[in-house]
Amino acid sequence: DGETGYLGQCGICQNESFGEVLAGGAEMISKHSDRCLVLMWPDYAGKGTFGMTCLEEYEGDYLVLVGEWNGRSFGAFTSGLQEEGQSFSAEFQKAVADVYEEEAVHRLPNWPLFLDCVMIFKRRSLEALMTAQNPGHADDLLTAFFSGEHDPFAALGLTDDLEGGQLGDADGEEEEEEEG
């Protein structure tokens, strides 16, 4: 709606700010695939779908995530808290782990019973995605790709976009027509 806010307002000085922030939701993400996606606690208490909605809209290569993460929360050690943490849903964390590789983690100062950190993720290459999908073919990816033994598009989540879940073979159809 074009509203403008200010990042970094501390309330002490009315005009103090560190940059301009334009209001918008997940629908704005696809317009900025050349930028890094930054999410901070999108799924409060580890529940919700806002994080997943943002991730589905994002086509860029880098994520900066702020909050708790599976294996980096008190939930692994304390009853009543989720092992996945309180910032991102388990579904979101799995989707990130499937497509992105963690590049760096930086600890942050925290409130009691929170283990927030800044995590930087980079989208995996097609080669890395294919290797992860079929570790047995890691040494010969071209053979694996052309063998038809697996679907290289499954790792990218593209199979639902293809007719019948497979690519059509237009060249093969033309050859059949020419022969017949």
Side-chain angles (χ1 to χ4, degrees):
D1 59 17
E3 290 183 30
T4 301
Y6 291 95
L7 175 68
Q9 281 185 322
C10 67
I12 296 172
C13 300
Q14 189 174 19
N15 296 326
E16 181 182 18
S17 63
F18 302 105
E20 184 180 31
V21 176
L22 300 176
E27 72 282 354
M28 300 299 290
I29 293 171
S30 63
K31 296 178 182 179
H32 302 286
S33 63
D34 60 326
R35 298 181 184 176
C36 174
L37 177 62
V38 178
L39 293 174
M40 299 175 209
W41 279 69
D43 304 320
Y44 183 74
K47 296 176 173 54
T49 60
F50 187 71
M52 237 0 248
T53 301
C54 292
L55 189 62
E56 289 168 353
E57 291 289 325
Y58 184 60
E59 296 176 3
D61 291 328
Y62 288 93
L63 300 174
V64 174
L65 306 176
V66 179
E68 296 184 322
W69 201 256
N70 192 10
R72 295 188 189 112
S73 77
F74 282 117
F77 313 104
T78 306
S79 63
L81 296 176
Q82 297 181 85
E83 191 168 333
E84 296 86 20
Q86 303 177 66
S87 312
F88 302 93
S89 70
E91 178 187 22
F92 174 84
Q93 292 183 43
K94 181 183 179 332
V96 168
D98 287 348
V99 179
Y100 291 84
E101 191 169 7
E102 188 175 86
E103 295 272 307
V105 177
H106 303 281
R107 298 279 321 264
L108 294 172
N110 290 284
W111 293 103
L113 296 181
F114 292 90
L115 287 176
D116 292 335
C117 56
V118 176
M119 299 161 283
I120 301 169
F121 291 86
K122 181 180 180 186
R123 187 179 297 272
R124 294 178 195 207
S125 66
L126 179 59
E127 180 179 355
L129 290 169
M130 288 177 58
T131 301
Q133 184 183 3
N134 286 297
H137 293 297
D139 294 333
D140 193 1
L141 286 174
L142 285 176
T143 300
F145 182 84
F146 291 111
S147 70
E149 292 178 23
H150 73 284
D151 182 359
F153 298 101
L156 300 174
L158 298 176
T159 53
D160 294 338
D161 296 338
L162 303 173
E163 188 174 318
Q166 298 178 359
L167 287 174
D169 186 3
D171 292 333
E173 291 172 11
E174 288 175 14
E175 288 176 14
E176 289 175 18
E177 290 174 13
E178 290 173 11
E179 290 175 13

